[in-house]
Structures are given as structure tokens and as C-alpha cells.
Amino acid sequence: MSRIGKLPINIPTGVTVTLKDNVVSVKGPKGEMSQAVDPSIIVSIEENEIKFSIDEKNDTVEQKQKQAFHGLYRALVNNMVVGVSEGYKKEMELVGVGYRVSNQGNLIEFSLGYTHSIFIQLPPEIKVETKSERNKNPYICLESCDKQLLGLVCAKIRSFRKPEPYKGKGILYVGEQIRRKSGKSAGAK
């Protein structure tokens, strides 16, 4: 059995969880989300806990797949509960001469050394904040209750200029360390 799937999810105060036709809906102060659960997984809401168990009678899915679903759906619902109660936050910085970022609402404009600016329209579930201070790297802060969507958007933004190991330029997460490489050795014969 899945070790993660066995763990119960505590429901914090201010969060309501409902279950209807194998769809778990979570509502809290930061937003509202829902997730469909495979019929081979039994979801039960008892007091202030959500518990997941495998339906042994359901033979439509193999046992190994049931065990994988057990941990998967527990993790997805846990991410939703944490998201609607606390929210998720990702911070990124642009390292490089002349790299700039600005936003107008959910439209972000990047200047990353290409001949053109790059524009990206974010979904309405994500809040964005950009800072450009003198003698500091431009900074982007993204917040959302949906962990999966936030990670997807951050990966897309990072793909515009991946960090490179020689000069350390690119779009990095705040606090990320890039393994640096030395260039060609000078005058080696």
C-alpha cells in the first residue's frame, strides 16, 4: 500500500470539503478547487479529516495502478487543502545585463536580450508582482491556490531563458544555486 495514501488530511478551520459523485470540492479563504477521484479509491470525510482507501471490490483497475492512484489522489487533495487555506508562492529573478520585467495586471513583458520583447498572459487564478530596483536583479513573485498551475507557469517563464552554467545568466528561482563550469582553459597545449 502507499505510505502517502494512508496518511489522513487534516482540514483546517475555515475550509469546507464536500464529496459528490467521486468529485472532491474544497473551498477556503484563498479560493475554490475541485478534483475528480478514480472510482477505485474510496474517499471518506470524518470529523476534521479526509481519509483515502483502496476499493478491493473494484476490478476495473489493476492492483498496482490502484496503489499508485491511492498516493496520487491523496497528494492532489492535500495540495488543494493547503492551497485554499495558505496558498502557494514562487519567487523568480532575472540574472543578466539588460534583462527587465514589468507587468500590467496579469500581462507580463520580458526583455531578455532577444530582438523582441516576450509577452505572457497569466490565468486569472495567479497574482503577479514584479520589482525592478537599481543594482538588484529584476524580481517576479507569483501567488496562487493551485500548485499545479503555478508550477506550470513558472516552468514556462523559466523556459524563455534557462540558467546557463558558464556565466550564470537566465531566469532563476530565488535562492537557487547554479553549478558553474569553467570555460576553455587558457593557453593549454
Side-chain angles (χ1 to χ4, degrees), residues 33-98:
M33 299 175 69
S34 62
Q35 173 68 47
V37 178
D38 194 83
S40 64
I41 304 298
I42 300 169
V43 182
S44 60
I45 301 168
E46 302 165 5
E47 299 169 12
N48 272 357
E49 287 186 336
I50 308 169
K51 293 183 180 177
F52 294 83
S53 57
I54 297 174
D55 186 3
E56 299 297 338
K57 296 173 188 162
N58 189 338
D59 291 335
T60 58
V61 182
E62 286 184 32
Q63 184 64 26
K64 196 168 187 177
Q65 186 65 49
K66 286 180 188 178
Q67 291 174 349
F69 281 159
H70 191 211
L72 169 75
Y73 288 115
R74 190 261 176 209
L76 290 175
V77 172
N78 185 51
N79 287 345
M80 291 188 334
V81 169
V82 172
V84 298
S85 61
E86 300 168 20
Y88 292 101
K89 184 178 184 179
K90 294 262 189 178
E91 298 171 330
M92 306 174 92
E93 62 181 345
L94 282 65
V95 178
V97 177

